[in-house]
Amino acid sequence: MEATIITKLIAQALNLSIEAVGNTLALLEEGCTIPFISRYRKERTGALDEVQIAAISDESQRLKEIQKRKDTVIKTITDLQKMTPELRQRIDNCWDATELEDIYLPYKPRRRTRAQVAREQGLEALAQLIMLQREANPERAAKSFVVGDVADVAAALRGAQDIIAETISEDERSRQQLRGAFRRTAIITSKVVKAKADTEEAAKYSDYFDWHEPLRRCSSHRLLAMRRGEAEGMLRISIDPADDQECIDRLQRQWVRSGNASGRLVAEAAEDSYKRLLKPSIETEFGNLSKEAADEEAIHVFAENLRQLLLGAPLGQKRVMGIDPGFRTGCKVVCLDAQGNLLHHEAIFPHPPVNKRMQASIHMQQMIADYQIEAIAIGNGTASRETKRFAEDVLHTMRADTVRQPDIKLFVVSEDGASVYSASKVAREEFPDEDVTVRGAVSIGRRLMDPLAELVKIDPKSIGVGQYQHDVDQTKLKHQLDQTVESCVNLVGVNLNTASSHLLQYVSGLGPALAKNIVDYRKEHGPFASRAQLKKVPRLGPSAFQQCAGFLRIPGAKNPLDNSAVHPESYAIVEQMAHDQGCSVGDLIAQRELRARVDINRYVTAEVGIPTLTDIMNELEKPGRDPREQLEEFEFDSRVQTIDDLEEGMVLPGIVTNITNFGAFVDIGVHQDGLVHISQMANRRIAHPTDVVKLHQHVDVKVIEVDRRRKRIALSMKQV
């Protein structure tokens, strides 16, 4: 019964068919992964994509959490012997977390409040009498309650008012009324903590020293900035309705039904309830809700940036030289084979203060020749541009030699997170005998070859593409980022015979243990000859095989389908197609005219429909194709080296390094990224920067303002 209700609720919330949601939930319950369901179970889901399936999974989890909370609420109220059929029905029908807490509030075990003390003093009956507002002389009624700890009539009335105030604060209608006022008019206000106003730490929050705006218009990045300032003790944040008195008046109109003395006492209790109980409670609630919404938006931005970064254009399997540039400590150079294995490393010192440029040039030429280098990757940190110019000079010298004329391309690669990787457990396992500088240079070289395979080894929070990533809910962030990494890995596919265990663990149906078992099996038995051989890997059972096989590739396999996204469960269909055309599977892949003669309608069965057959035909056209774009070379403007070289009006080439809700940061080669505000991105109104740019995109920008003191550069794309 519960499962059916959850299915209907999810279908309604996401505007999807009940059948598609029900089938998707069943597949998730069977242990199928999101990439597997979206790629290979289109008939059952109605061709839902990964985003929709992930939304179903998340919504299902949210509703299950509400159900757990409902079970706790029902048990608590039942144990108190206060459960009624009407109350039970209300709880059963409730699927809103806030409404559920409102229902539960009067029964919730609470700390010893003023109202609780008054109840223990026997003043509940007096409170009920006053709330009826029929007693014109409540002082006279209160005299009979002056016993025990109740000192006098005034104390009795105060205690009764405390009970009334708490009753009002726990009333659902009162809370909803105040929520409505907050929703319409709430203002978020930020003030500097006076004792910190002149400190250097507080200066970065100077924009928020005296700030206020409607909460519903407060963007996620401003709210998170204010909350960070509050957490660091620099700011005080409050959320208030626009008019406190109007809220009090509304509350009094709801509860005061008489103009007599009892009515006046209720009016006073209502005002006290608002100021002491209701307003702080709803303020906390809206503070949490606004923070959750800001977190969700920031996490979405981070995940989208991470997706673009992971799906960055790869160079492919080439022999690469990776250079981690530096001045005083020199440039650490590594030479890698086409599979990314380390062949050689050494340090060269082409820059001041050591300045052994000639010696460095000779050594670099020798390494290029000895290891048949096909491309050079240079980190984008300190001394990057100087090292790139040095490398260009070396290549120019070599090209002038009639014997050695290498066709080598130079690329500048982001170093973000390379130092984190070099000191990580993964790097120590890969290179136990090398120091962190060598590992960092290897990471730079491998990122050029395949950004995805290398970046999965680094905690996404260290890659530098997030927005307030340390301030958002870390559990939700990890869940979203893990889901993003898994999606990217499975979209691209993984070479079964070269992938590291760290990359393999993100393949659908695997995980750290099975990934390690695959690598261990590969070391012992040599490269996999077929996908079917995966079944021999220890602990990799039929379910794991079903989930992972379609995303693993074996270049050069005897069966060409083993290097495609066609799932082994569909091999028989392709073989039947080839048989019907009187050719082999290889011929069907190689010859377009043979594929053109295939009528996919002939191969429809109860389990396999047109969506899957269409996918199969698309895959046969370009088996194992990489969905990522081609790598492009890039050059910064030689006129600018530092922020001091910038002048307003300059038009410069740049690379998008980070995207936020309010704009995009662009590297223009001066060791300080500039900001293209969303208002400067296009000559039209855009909803989000991703409508115009993507991560690592090459763009032309115009310098419109340079603040050298604060090291801020304002750029424009619409003026170019």
Side-chain angles (χ1 to χ4, degrees), residues 80 263 289 398 517 529 532 612 633 649 651 668 695 707:
L80 291 170
L289 287 172
M398 293 184 74
N517 289 355
T612 293
E633 292 182 85
V651 175
I668 52 175
L695 213 59
D707 183 341

Side-chain angles (χ1 to χ4, degrees), residues 481-553:
L481 297 185
D482 284 349
Q483 210 169 69
T484 300
V485 174
E486 182 183 36
S487 170
C488 292
V489 169
N490 290 288
L491 174 67
V492 172
V494 172
N495 186 325
L496 182 56
N497 285 325
T498 61
S500 67
S501 62
H502 209 83
L503 180 59
L504 284 166
Q505 75 180 43
Y506 288 103
V507 172
S508 168
L510 297 181
L514 283 178
K516 183 178 182 302
N517 289 355
I518 288 173
V519 172
D520 290 345
Y521 182 91
R522 196 171 68 198
K523 285 177 183 174
E524 184 178 349
H525 300 278
F528 285 87
S530 68
R531 281 171 169 168
Q533 199 178 342
L534 278 164
K535 296 175 182 177
K536 297 179 181 179
V537 173
R539 305 180 70 83
L540 201 154
S543 177
F545 177 80
Q546 181 195 52
Q547 296 297 307
C548 75
F551 302 103
L552 295 168
R553 310 278 184 268

Side-chain angles (χ1 to χ4, degrees), residues 35 44 67 122 129 210 332 343 412 444 556 621 634 637 668-669 685:
R44 289 187 63 182
Q67 184 58 52
L129 182 67
D210 187 15
K332 183 62 72 174
L343 303 174
V412 175
I444 289 168
E621 186 177 341
F634 177 83
D637 193 308
I668 52 175
R685 183 176 177 80

